[in-house]
Amino acid sequence: MNNRSPVRFSQALSLVLLFVVVGTQDSVEGRLIPAISNKPHPNDAAAYARWLVSQNSWGVLSTISSGLGGAPFGNVVSFSDGLPNEGSGVPYFYLTTLDPTASNALKDKRSSLAISEYPLGTCGKRDPEDPVCAKITLTGKLVLVDVNSKAAEFARNALFAKHPEMKGWPKDHNFQTFKLEIDDIFLINWFGGPKPLTVDQYLHAKA
Amino acid sequence: MNNRSPVRFSQALSLVLLFVVVGTQDSVEGRLIPAISNKPHPNDAAAYARWLVSQNSWGVLSTISSGLGGAPFGNVVSFSDGLPNEGSGVPYFYLTTLDPTASNALKDKRSSLAISEYPLGTCGKRDPEDPVCAKITLTGKLVLVDVNSKAAEFARNALFAKHPEMKGWPKDHNFQTFKLEIDDIFLINWFGGPKPLTVDQYLHAKA
């Protein structure tokens, strides 16, 4: 599997350093302390992945762009996987087909959502590309949620709780809720390459 | 063009509100004040785009994943477009083929880099998906830079200046410099949909 190639940053010293950094850092920005306080151990891949998805409010959603000759088109989007502290692990989006991402997905569902730990402020002095500063890519199908379904109601509640501004977005833009049906998970949250993690393990982990 | 569809958030009140928010906000995190102080006017699309690329140190680089059936695979990466305050507009990366992004690009060069203004702290209370919180997607070809070229030297200096940690990354991982040859620019930094901006205008703007 292409996304399972190992990336081994094997400096053992770093194991020690991380805990020193995390343990002594008080505050860089508002969200730092709460995010650190419930950060799972890197060895618990499922819990770590769920924490990363639940703590973040935005990421980059990539689709296949028909307008750009099939290029992989990444787009900054907001998302939510549930009410605060009640994440489901499944990311929901509020998108309009005035924007290329939604219209791309209606033609070709293949997509991925990439999220970084870096903006949470819990990476200390680590570089965003340092494997200890976690990142996750959820790959799957970006699908429209039936507007009258229970899932759409869940999605709207999840989105509006984390993104209150969305409630006031223009009605004539026809924003609709989409969800990512996850097929594959690529998580790096430590040295040694991507963590083995199935979708089932992820969905049934405690956030 | 698929990526030129208009997104019109036509609340005139917001024009006023933005300047109130930006004008009165003192500090949320360390990088806020310097980033705001030189933020170009949204009407100057080329300068704004260059500022956004130059201020950010990371983004999501999307490639076509051969391992995942051709899915658009976004991956969190660090980048640099030049020495601090000397951005070239062209993003350089330090990647290893142990990671899927570099190996994908060697098979299919089509890629895009998505960057958000949100982590700079200059969006005030705006949501990351609010069109006034800027985002840019540079689409093009992700190409390996010849290790012995002047371009590679420029790339390494640009990368190591903004990401000093990279200098110490393991030699046996065979990190190499890649650059994105930009073919198309998708910039949203205000209401009214993507800003018209050619690659030539972008590359010749003052950062």
Side-chain angles (χ1 to χ4, degrees), chain A residues 7 9 116-118 123 125-135 188 190-191, chain B residues 57-59 61 75-80 92-96 99 101-102 113 159 163 165-166 169 175-176 178:
Chain A
V7 179
F9 279 54
S116 169
E117 184 181 335
Y118 193 75
C123 289
K125 302 285 183 194
R126 296 277 176 175
D127 191 83
E129 200 173 300
D130 185 312
V132 168
C133 192
K135 59 181 178 178
I188 291 188
W190 202 252
F191 306 110
Chain B
S57 65
W58 65 282
L61 186 56
N75 200 352
V76 174
V77 295
S78 293
F79 74 89
S80 173
Y92 291 91
F93 309 90
Y94 201 48
L95 305 172
T96 161
D99 186 82
T101 299
L113 175 65
L159 286 160
H163 304 278
E165 193 193 297
M166 286 179 175
W169 286 357
F175 280 95
Q176 293 175 288
F178 285 74

Side-chain angles (χ1 to χ4, degrees), chain A residues 91-108:
Chain A
Y92 291 91
F93 309 91
Y94 202 48
L95 305 172
T96 160
T97 52
L98 294 174
D99 186 81
T101 300
S103 57
N104 288 344
L106 294 176
K107 289 175 197 144
D108 185 335

